[in-house]
Amino acid sequence: MNSFADGKDGLNVSETDRSSLRVHDNRTGYSYTIPIHHNSINASDFTQVKCPSNGYHADQNDQGIRIYDPGYSNTAVSESEITYIDGVKGVIQYRGYPIEDILGKKGFIDTAHLLIWGKWPSDEEAIKLQKGFNGVQLPDQSVFNVIRSFPREGSPMGMMIAGLTALQSNQMDLIPAYAARNLYLGNADLVDQQIIKFMSSFAVITAAAYCHHTGRTFTNPRQELSYIENFQLMMGHVDHNTGLPNPRYVKYMEQLWILIADHEMTCSTAALLQTASSLPDVISCMVSAISAMYGPLHGGAIEVAYKSFEAIGSIENVQAKIDRVKAGKERLFGYGHRIYRVNDPRYVFIRQIMAEMQDEISNDPLLKIAFEVDRIAAEDDYFISRKLKPNADLFAALIYKAMGFPADFILPISLISRTQGFMAHWKEAMSGTARIWRPRQIYVGDLDRKMAE
């Protein structure tokens, strides 16, 4: 995009300027025309809008006027072909395919291939990808030792991060700084190899962390099982009669992993891409994403919501909790979303899965409380008028709880379901050009202060 200064002329808009933004700087009297592309403008085009020579000299800079947007609330940091979201209409599409058309027709391997490689796999490609996952060797024993060095009651997310950094230390030749050269930018073959290796190894590390945390015995994956079947097998979540994962739970987890596969530019995705812009290895990028997801304003909100449900105590206390929320005394975690102003489109399908798990849900007191909260909130004008809809990630977590996973391990499972999306974004970033993300700041402190004599 090329903008240009129009000088101090009038603001008449010609036919050629229809796809542009006219900006008039009242400080200088100059006008500028900024091209509009995909209903967006390039922030760099504003570098021509210079500050007058008088005034606070910290404002004088070569970058011209700056765009102030705390939290990136209306800033697009990249172009992407992976996921499209319309929060007003309640639309999610992967590579142009609506999720409602994908669910029930395609499986985890298909969706992962679509997100990462941009197309549905042929039968041969799907088999090759699954064999690729199963063909990755187990991490070195030192990785398991690092995980098991944690207190059992310690943070599972911390165990996973430590396991990943231990894995990283076993493959130093794949770290660009250590190799002293670029390894991944523009190197699609190596990127693809690392994606398959990472997704396989991360499932093992997550399962090993789960087994250590819960006191279970880790079970090695089997060649003939799918990615999700092996994930449940490694964690010891199997039918006691067959020694294999429950097919119902495999089906439900696969459906959830399709629904939660990617959600565009989330906080954790942005953290991954911020790190990726400096061109490190994929593990470094994922550690950034995991750390971002652990925060209570992002993925960690799931764990906070669970603890708030536990604090309610019983169904009889739910209305009192709702009343405190409406009075502004407490928050109701798991409700409201920065993107959606209608029901999260994933929520409809998650409710369908819940309907098939009524036996498990009816036996769990915590889930009864969660559903009573949902029932009251859905009928209360306070929530309706504020468009406070249930968060799909929270109710996906309720399904994991119904499957028998402890509340403090639901976030790690949600994280691994997002790995396919993270890998798609990393691959897309590595197919672009080298440009480190370096946001600006606005300095508002004192200048030119004198030291005391």
Side-chain angles (χ1 to χ4, degrees):
M1 303 177 186
N2 294 313
S3 61
F4 55 92
D6 298 327
K8 296 186 178 181
D9 298 328
L11 296 178
N12 295 325
V13 180
S14 69
E15 286 297 324
T16 58
D17 293 335
R18 295 295 182 186
S19 295
S20 63
L21 177 71
R22 185 65 63 91
V23 176
H24 182 76
D25 189 343
N26 290 328
R27 302 171 303 174
T28 62
Y30 279 95
S31 298
Y32 305 83
T33 299
I34 310 294
I36 297 174
H37 181 65
H38 288 310
N39 196 34
S40 66
I41 54 176
N42 193 323
S44 296
D45 286 340
F46 283 86
T47 59
Q48 298 179 67
V49 184
K50 303 295 184 181
C51 182
S53 58
N54 59 334
Y56 183 54
H57 66 264
D59 290 340
Q60 316 296 330
N61 63 87
D62 293 337
Q63 289 77 41
I65 198 167
R66 287 156 294 188
I67 311 300
Y68 182 58
D69 186 15
Y72 300 143
S73 61
N74 191 37
T75 296
V77 294
S78 68
E79 292 184 335
S80 178
E81 298 179 353
I82 299 168
T83 299
Y84 170 74
I85 295 175
D86 185 328
V88 176
K89 296 179 180 178
V91 172
I92 301 177
Q93 296 186 4
Y94 297 154
R95 301 282 186 178
Y97 295 97
I99 58 168
E100 59 267 26
D101 291 345
I102 298 174
L103 198 67
K105 300 176 184 176
K106 298 292 184 179
F108 167 76
I109 289 292
D110 302 309
T111 306
H113 195 284
L114 173 70
L115 287 168
I116 297 168
W117 287 282
K119 65 184 183 71
W120 295 117
S122 64
D123 292 342
E124 293 76 15
E125 288 170 329
I127 292 171
K128 180 181 178 181
L129 180 55
Q130 182 59 65
K131 286 184 176 180
F133 289 142
N134 290 350
V136 175
Q137 291 185 341
L138 287 177
D140 186 81
Q141 184 60 40
S142 61
V143 175
F144 292 92
N145 292 342
V146 165
I147 293 171
R148 291 165 184 160
S149 70
F150 276 68
R152 287 192 185 277
E153 66 277 9
S155 165
M157 297 284 276
M159 296 177 195
M160 293 160 65
I161 291 173
L164 284 176
T165 54
L167 177 66
Q168 181 188 54
S169 295
N170 278 279
Q171 47 190 37
M172 295 295 292
D173 58 321
L174 294 173
I175 300 175
Y178 183 85
R181 61 189 178 92
N182 164 57
L183 293 178
Y184 302 108
L185 188 71
N187 190 346
D189 289 342
L190 184 57
V191 166
D192 289 348
Q193 292 171 23
Q194 287 303 292
I195 286 172
I196 292 172
K197 183 175 182 180
F198 179 86
M199 289 183 67
S200 177
S201 299
F202 192 41
V204 173
I205 287 170
T206 303
Y210 177 77
C211 289
H212 177 63
H213 184 62
T214 59
R216 295 170 178 250
T217 300
F218 177 85
T219 304
N220 286 344
R222 290 165 50 167
Q223 290 291 321
E224 72 275 15
L225 297 183
S226 71
Y227 187 92
I228 292 177
E229 287 173 330
N230 267 324
F231 183 60
Q232 294 189 12
L233 176 72
M234 290 187 289
M235 292 192 293
H237 270 261
V238 296
D239 186 296
H240 295 298
N241 295 321
T242 64
L244 295 172
N246 184 324
R248 287 178 64 235
Y249 292 170
V250 171
K251 170 189 170 184
Y252 299 147
M253 184 173 282
E254 183 164 39
Q255 290 176 341
L256 289 176
W257 284 19
I258 291 171
L259 291 170
I260 311 295
D262 187 56
H263 208 232
E264 199 225 56
M265 192 59 68
T266 63
C267 173
S268 49
T269 303
L272 178 139
L273 291 174
Q274 175 94 32
T275 301
S277 73
S278 70
L279 305 184
D281 60 298
V282 68
I283 291 177
S284 296
C285 298
M286 277 300 296
V287 167
S288 293
I290 294 168
S291 300
M293 186 171 265
Y294 203 11
L297 294 183
H298 192 19
I302 294 173
E303 195 164 327
V304 175
Y306 262 102
K307 290 180 178 178
S308 70
F309 288 155
E310 289 175 343
I312 293 174
S314 67
I315 289 178
E316 291 73 24
N317 297 331
V318 169
Q319 186 61 59
K321 167 69 175 182
I322 296 292
D323 291 341
R324 291 193 296 273
V325 170
K326 291 164 63 176
K329 297 178 179 178
E330 296 181 11
R331 286 188 62 182
L332 184 60
F333 284 89
Y335 282 77
H337 199 285
R338 182 164 170 173
I339 298 296
Y340 297 109
R341 296 298 174 266
V342 294
N343 274 330
D344 186 325
R346 301 168 297 176
Y347 178 67
V348 176
F349 302 103
I350 291 172
R351 290 291 303 207
Q352 292 174 0
I353 298 173
M354 289 178 172
E356 297 180 27
M357 299 188 69
Q358 283 305 308
D359 289 343
E360 290 91 343
I361 290 171
S362 63
N363 293 323
D364 191 318
L366 186 62
L367 294 181
K368 290 180 180 179
I369 292 172
F371 282 110
E372 180 65 7
V373 169
D374 186 47
R375 184 191 69 78
I376 295 176
E379 299 172 354
D380 195 296
D381 287 339
Y382 176 89
F383 295 91
I384 296 171
S385 63
R386 289 167 175 77
K387 301 184 187 302
L388 296 175
K389 306 292 184 178
N391 189 308
D393 291 288
L394 170 63
F395 280 82
L398 296 178
I399 295 176
Y400 294 132
K401 180 70 166 58
M403 290 182 190
F405 294 102
D408 60 354
F409 211 83
I410 288 170
L411 178 56
I413 298 175
S414 299
L415 172 62
I416 197 170
S417 73
R418 284 277 178 92
T419 303
Q420 52 191 314
F422 287 137
M423 293 300 98
H425 286 281
W426 183 62
K427 179 175 174 63
E428 189 174 63
M430 292 303 98
S431 66
T433 56
R435 184 167 188 172
I436 192 167
W437 288 18
R438 206 297 191 183
R440 304 290 179 182
Q441 69 161 23
I442 297 175
Y443 180 76
V444 296
D446 294 327
L447 289 172
D448 304 326
R449 301 175 72 182
K450 304 297 183 182
M451 295 290 291
E453 296 295 336

